[in-house]
Amino acid sequence: DPQKYKFRTMRQNLIDASDVLDEQIEIFTKIIQEHYNLSPNQFSDPTIQSQSEIYTVGRIVPDSPTFEGRLNTESIALETSRILGIGRRVRLDLSNIKELSLFCGQIVGLRGKNANNENFLVDEILSLPYPDAPVSTEEEIKGFQENFNNETMKVIVTSGPYFSETNIDMTPLIDFVDKINNQVKPHVVIMFGPFIDLTNPLISSGSIPTFPNLKIQPKTLDELFTKVMTPILKTINSQIQVILIPCTRDALSQHASYPQDSFDRKQLQLPKNFKCFTNPSTFQLNETFFGCSNVDIFKDLKEVTKGGETSSRNRFDRISEHILQQRRYYPIFPGGTRNVKIDKEKKIFKHIAGADLEVPYLGLTEFVGNVTPDVMIFPSEMPRFARVIQNVIMINPGRFIKQKGGKGTFAQITITKPSLEDDKLTKMENDDESVYLHNVWKRARVDLVST
Amino acid sequence: NNIDALQPLETTISDMERFKDATTLDLHCPNCSSEFPFGGIVPSNHYLMCYNGLQCKNCEKIFSTIQLTSQLESSIRSHISLYYAGWLICDDITCGNVTRQISVFGKRCLNDGCTGVMRYRYTDKQLYNQLLYFDSLFDREKNKNQEIKPLYHEGDPDFPTEKLNDSSIRALSEQNRELFEVNRGVVQKYLSDCGRRYVDMGSIFEFMA
Ligand SMILES: [Zn+2]
Ligand SMILES: [Zn+2]
C-alpha cells in the first residue's frame, strides 16, 4: 500500500526501531517451527547453560557492540528475541559447522548447545525455507494472453546516474530515448534513480555550469531536473509506460530514508504515461510480479563464509539466496554507510551517504504477501548481472553511465506470453480450482545492453 | 512522552542557544575551489554578499543561484544521512559505548552489566535545529536585525578584519531577497517532511488548547 510510505521522516524512535527488530525474530521463529514441524517448547534460550541440545532463533550480530570492520567466524554472536532470551546475546562457536555464509542482521535458526555458559556451540544451521512463488488462475492467464498484440512483453530497466561526474551532458539520455522510441519499442521502461545524485561531486560542490540553451537558468536542483531532464523524458513515446523508482541519494525526493515514498509526478512535470513508485516496490506487469529495491545490497552485504563449497559459489548467487530466505529487500542491519576521507594525515572521515534505513518502517521492505516476485531488480555499483536463483530472475542492470562518462548498460527483459498449451506453466492442484506457477524464468530472456 | 511536553518552551529560547551545536554551511567556490563557511550577511575574509549575490573574495566570482542552492541541499542531505546512520551512545559516562547496534530492548546498553540508557547520538531535535539554522542564514529579517549566529569569535585566527555597517546589511538583505527566498525554499522542502516539526507544532497547539 503506497499510502503507508507517506510517513514523516527525521523522527525515529528507538523503541519503535527495537520493536521491529524484535518482531523480525518472532516472525521467523514461527516460519521455522512450521517448516521443520517443531513445537514451540523445543525452542529455548541459547544464552543460558543447558545440558541438552536445543533449537533457537535469533539475529546474527558482532560479539562486541564496538566491533568495526569485517566479521570473522570467531567474532559472531546471536541476539535473542525479548521472549526467547530477554534480548541477551551469546557468542557462537561455529567450529562444528563446515559450510556457512552469515552476515549482520541475518535471522537464523540454530540447533546446538550452550554447555559452558560462555558460548553456544552450533551443530546445525537450519536453512530457511524459500517463500512461495506467485500463481495465477486459468481465467487470469487467459486475460493476460489478450493484453499484448505481439508475442512477447518487453521491459527495459535503467539505473542512474544518468549523467557523469565530469560534466552535465544529456546526450546519452537523448540517445537512449531515441533508441527506445525507434528501435527497441518496449512496453514498459523502469527507471531507477538517482536522477540528480547529491553525492556527484559536481552537484555537492556546486560546480554547475550555465545552460546556454535555456532562457531562464535553473535555480535549484529540482529545477535542474524539470528544465533539463523533463523535456527529454517527455519525448518518450506516450504508448510506453515509464515507471520511476527513487533513491535516497536523489535530490528529487525530500523523503531521504529507506523505505522511501514515491516521487510526485506532477512536481516533476511529467506526462501521464509516467508512474512514480515507492522504493522498494512490488508490482505486476501482466502476469509477472516485479520486485524492485534501490539500495545497494550487493555492495553492502558482507558475508562471513566458511567451507569450500560455499566460497566457490558466485557471490551474487549467495546474496540472492539470502534475500529470498530473509524475505526482505535489504536484510542487513545496521545498514551500509559511505564515508570519504577528508584529512589523510589525521584519518578523519566524513559521512556522505548510506542505506539510510528508517528502522521503524522496515516492515514495508518485506516481501508483499510472503510471496517471491518472479523478477527482482537491485541496481548496484557491482558488475551488472542477470541470473536465475531459486527460479527467480535476479537483475542488476548496471549504471546507465560510468562515473567518468563512459557508456553504461541497461537491461532488456523479454517475456513470452503465458500459454496454457506449451507446458511452460506448472499446474498446481488446489482444492477448488487449479492455479499455475508463472515460471517466468523459463519464458524470459534478459540482455544487458550497452547504452 | 515527557520530552515532547517540554517543546513549547523551545520557542522561547534564543537562536544563539538553539543553534549552539549547529554546524556551519561550508561552501566551495566553483571557480577557484576555495572553501569557507557561509553565515549570511556577516563579515568574512572569504566572501562578500554584494547586491547581486554571493561573491568569492579570493577570485571575485559571483555564485549563480544554483551553485549556492545545490551546496545547501547537499549539506542538508548529508546531515539527514548522518542522522539515519543511527549512531547510538550510552548515557553512562563511565561506559560511553558508541555503536550502531540496537538491542531488541532499544534503550539497553550492550556492554555487559552496564545500566546506562542508549540514545541516538545525532538526535532528531539536533537535526531539526540544524535545518532551522540553515533556514536562519537566508532569513531576510534575521539578517537585517543581525540575529544570525556569528561565524567567528573574537580571537579566532580567521576573525574578519573588516566590519559591515548596519545600513548596508539592511540594503543587502533586500537586494538579495530572491536569492534568499529560493534558498529558504530548499530548506523548507525538508522541514515540510520533518517529523520533529510536527511534534513542535502539535504540542504548541496542545499548550494553547
Ligand atoms: Zn573563488
Ligand atoms: Zn553503557
Side-chain angles (χ1 to χ4, degrees):
Chain A
D1 179 3
Q3 286 303 318
K4 288 186 179 156
Y5 290 70
K6 301 214 173 294
F7 57 86
R8 294 201 193 284
T9 56
M10 300 174 242
R11 176 134 177 95
Q12 281 196 108
N13 177 314
L14 200 46
I15 299 299
D16 295 345
S18 61
D19 283 349
V20 167
L21 294 172
D22 188 54
E23 200 183 18
Q24 289 174 348
I25 305 176
E26 289 299 309
I27 290 170
F28 276 95
T29 305
K30 288 205 182 72
I31 290 172
I32 291 167
Q33 281 169 1
E34 269 172 37
H35 181 76
Y36 287 96
N37 212 1
L38 297 163
S39 77
N41 55 31
Q42 284 174 280
F43 286 75
S44 56
D45 183 356
T47 70
I48 52 173
Q49 198 167 2
S50 128
Q51 294 318 307
S52 53
E53 194 167 66
I54 58 157
Y55 286 97
T56 194
V57 180
R59 173 181 294 102
I60 294 296
V61 292
D63 66 351
S64 149
T66 51
F67 186 88
E68 291 287 335
R70 223 186 171 94
L71 281 184
N72 57 60
T73 48
E74 312 296 313
S75 62
I76 296 176
L78 185 78
E79 176 178 48
T80 57
S81 67
R82 296 171 188 168
I83 288 183
L84 194 71
I86 38 174
R88 280 186 302 237
R89 297 177 170 202
V90 62
R91 185 197 289 253
L92 296 182
D93 179 343
L94 293 157
S95 50
N96 286 353
I97 303 294
K98 289 201 176 67
E99 300 279 339
L100 62 80
S101 161
L102 300 170
F103 64 92
C104 286
Q106 180 180 7
I107 310 291
V108 291
L110 304 175
R111 182 171 58 82
K113 189 162 51 171
N114 178 350
N116 57 7
N117 208 14
E118 271 178 23
N119 49 39
F120 184 78
L121 178 66
V122 183
D123 284 320
E124 185 189 357
I125 301 177
L126 305 174
S127 59
L128 298 181
Y130 291 99
D132 292 335
V135 290
S136 295
T137 62
E138 193 169 323
E139 209 171 321
E140 284 167 331
I141 300 275
K142 282 179 180 153
F144 294 136
Q145 285 170 343
E146 288 158 17
N147 278 354
F148 292 106
N149 298 327
N150 31 357
E151 272 298 298
T152 57
M153 175 170 75
K154 204 184 268 187
V155 180
I156 295 294
V157 185
T158 65
S159 165
Y162 296 93
F163 56 87
S164 77
E165 296 184 359
T166 51
N167 57 39
I168 302 181
D169 175 15
M170 292 296 153
T171 321
L173 188 61
I174 294 168
D175 292 347
F176 170 75
V177 172
D178 181 67
K179 199 186 231 170
I180 61 165
N181 281 345
N182 300 307
Q183 281 173 257
V184 186
K185 298 177 183 169
H187 299 95
V188 180
V189 179
I190 304 171
M191 299 183 85
F192 287 85
F195 293 88
I196 310 271
D197 183 355
L198 284 154
T199 62
N200 181 331
L202 291 178
I203 302 294
S204 58
S205 71
S207 307
I208 299 167
T210 47
F211 298 88
N213 302 335
L214 295 178
K215 258 194 233 150
I216 303 167
Q217 293 298 313
K219 294 192 181 78
T220 61
L221 295 174
D222 290 342
E223 285 186 12
L224 179 64
F225 182 84
T226 53
K227 286 178 189 288
V228 176
M229 296 181 89
T230 298
I232 300 166
L233 294 175
K234 268 183 171 167
T235 61
I236 294 177
N237 184 331
S238 63
Q239 298 298 303
I240 301 173
Q241 284 280 339
V242 187
I243 293 168
L244 303 185
I245 296 175
C247 152
T248 60
R249 298 195 322 270
D250 212 316
L252 304 183
S253 177
Q254 74 268 35
H255 183 131
S257 65
Y258 178 87
Q260 185 179 22
D261 193 12
S262 56
F263 292 136
D264 182 330
R265 181 179 65 82
K266 285 186 183 147
Q267 249 168 35
L268 303 185
Q269 298 173 21
L270 290 166
K272 284 206 168 129
N273 56 317
F274 282 74
K275 297 251 177 317
C276 295
F277 284 0
T278 58
N279 173 27
S281 58
T282 311
F283 52 90
Q284 209 171 355
L285 297 178
N286 220 21
E287 82 288 357
T288 304
F289 277 79
F290 282 78
C292 295
S293 172
N294 205 1
V295 198
D296 199 341
I297 174 116
F298 285 95
K299 189 178 178 200
D300 291 351
L301 197 148
K302 297 187 171 65
E303 306 156 274
V304 181
T305 57
K306 184 177 171 186
E309 241 173 86
T310 305
S311 37
S312 65
R313 292 186 65 209
N314 180 300
R315 176 171 171 265
F316 297 143
D317 291 0
R318 289 194 307 255
I319 295 178
S320 300
E321 286 178 357
H322 281 313
I323 297 167
L324 298 175
Q325 288 181 331
Q326 299 291 310
R327 307 178 184 211
R328 274 178 285 144
Y329 287 100
Y330 191 86
I332 305 166
F333 186 83
T337 56
R338 246 173 77 196
N339 301 293
V340 285
K341 212 181 253 181
I342 52 170
D343 190 322
K344 276 185 188 146
E345 277 162 26
K346 291 183 199 153
K347 288 191 177 162
I348 298 172
F349 291 87
K350 183 178 190 276
H351 175 99
I352 55 163
D356 302 323
L357 302 182
E358 186 91 52
V359 186
Y361 289 87
L362 283 182
L364 294 173
T365 69
E366 290 165 7
F367 289 1
V368 175
N370 254 321
V371 167
T372 310
D374 298 301
V375 178
M376 299 190 78
I377 308 168
F378 297 90
S380 170
E381 283 174 24
M382 304 305 287
R384 62 184 187 262
F385 64 83
R387 311 179 69 86
V388 175
I389 315 295
Q390 303 295 330
N391 299 351
V392 179
I393 300 176
M394 309 286 287
I395 301 172
N396 164 23
R399 291 166 65 114
F400 183 83
I401 195 157
K402 298 234 173 79
Q403 262 166 314
K404 298 227 166 89
K407 275 178 185 293
T409 48
F410 62 84
Q412 177 175 313
I413 310 167
T414 45
I415 305 171
T416 60
K417 227 186 223 189
S419 161
L420 296 169
E421 283 84 48
D422 67 3
D423 286 339
K424 282 195 176 151
L425 307 184
T426 310
K427 194 173 185 178
M428 311 278 285
E429 291 305 336
N430 211 332
D431 290 345
D432 23 289
E433 66 174 332
S434 42
V435 291
Y436 294 84
L437 284 177
H438 300 150
N439 291 340
V440 174
W441 60 283
K442 286 186 185 168
R443 300 185 286 118
R445 177 194 161 101
V446 182
D447 295 287
L448 297 164
V449 186
S450 168
T451 52
Chain B
N1 58 34
N2 291 334
I3 295 165
D4 292 341
L6 292 171
Q7 282 306 303
L9 297 173
E10 287 259 311
T11 55
T12 64
I13 66 171
S14 75
D15 276 6
M16 301 304 152
E17 179 59 22
R18 186 193 276 262
F19 300 150
K20 70 178 194 313
D21 296 324
T23 57
T24 53
L25 174 59
D26 294 325
L27 298 182
H28 163 268
C29 173
N31 190 45
C32 72
S33 293
S34 62
E35 314 245 347
F36 54 85
F38 174 81
I41 307 173
V42 294
S44 160
N45 296 330
H46 305 281
Y47 76 91
L48 187 70
M49 282 308 293
C50 59
Y51 72 94
N52 56 352
L54 169 69
Q55 186 177 34
C56 170
K57 272 192 176 173
N58 186 41
C59 70
E60 303 195 333
K61 144 102 188 172
I62 293 179
F63 284 49
S64 71
T65 305
I66 197 169
Q67 287 175 336
L68 178 54
T69 58
S70 69
Q71 297 194 57
L72 169 65
E73 188 154 7
S74 290
S75 255
I76 292 173
R77 291 287 287 266
S78 63
H79 275 282
I80 296 176
S81 184
L82 179 60
Y83 167 77
Y84 278 112
W87 285 97
L88 305 180
I89 185 164
C90 175
D91 73 352
D92 182 336
I93 46 166
T94 62
C95 168
N97 179 19
V98 173
T99 177
R100 293 176 65 224
Q101 293 288 318
I102 302 180
S103 157
V104 292
F105 290 104
K107 295 190 172 176
R108 183 196 285 176
C109 179
L110 289 165
N111 273 346
D112 273 342
C114 177
T115 55
V117 175
M118 301 301 289
R119 58 171 180 79
Y120 283 110
R121 187 171 65 171
Y122 196 167
T123 65
D124 50 41
K125 183 176 159 190
Q126 257 173 303
L127 178 61
Y128 177 55
N129 283 341
Q130 182 69 45
L131 294 180
L132 291 178
Y133 168 68
F134 285 153
D135 183 68
S136 76
L137 298 178
F138 302 99
D139 182 321
R140 233 170 41 249
E141 289 306 310
K142 286 184 178 170
N143 271 288
K144 266 188 206 169
N145 300 333
Q146 298 174 47
E147 291 169 352
I148 315 267
K149 180 189 167 188
L151 276 182
Y152 305 101
H153 295 286
E154 215 130 358
D156 284 353
D158 217 8
F159 193 80
T161 43
E162 291 163 53
K163 283 208 159 70
L164 288 174
N165 69 48
D166 300 359
S167 62
S168 62
I169 290 175
R170 275 198 298 277
L172 288 167
S173 304
E174 278 311 317
Q175 283 153 354
N176 286 290
R177 186 190 195 108
E178 202 208 328
L179 176 68
F180 277 20
E181 272 169 13
V182 174
N183 277 282
R184 280 193 92 176
V186 171
V187 186
Q188 288 300 326
K189 170 177 164 186
Y190 294 97
L191 277 171
S192 73
D193 205 57
C194 177
R196 182 82 204 183
R197 180 163 92 153
Y198 293 86
V199 171
D200 232 13
M201 295 210 272
S203 45
I204 290 165
F205 181 74
E206 281 160 32
F207 179 70
M208 294 191 305

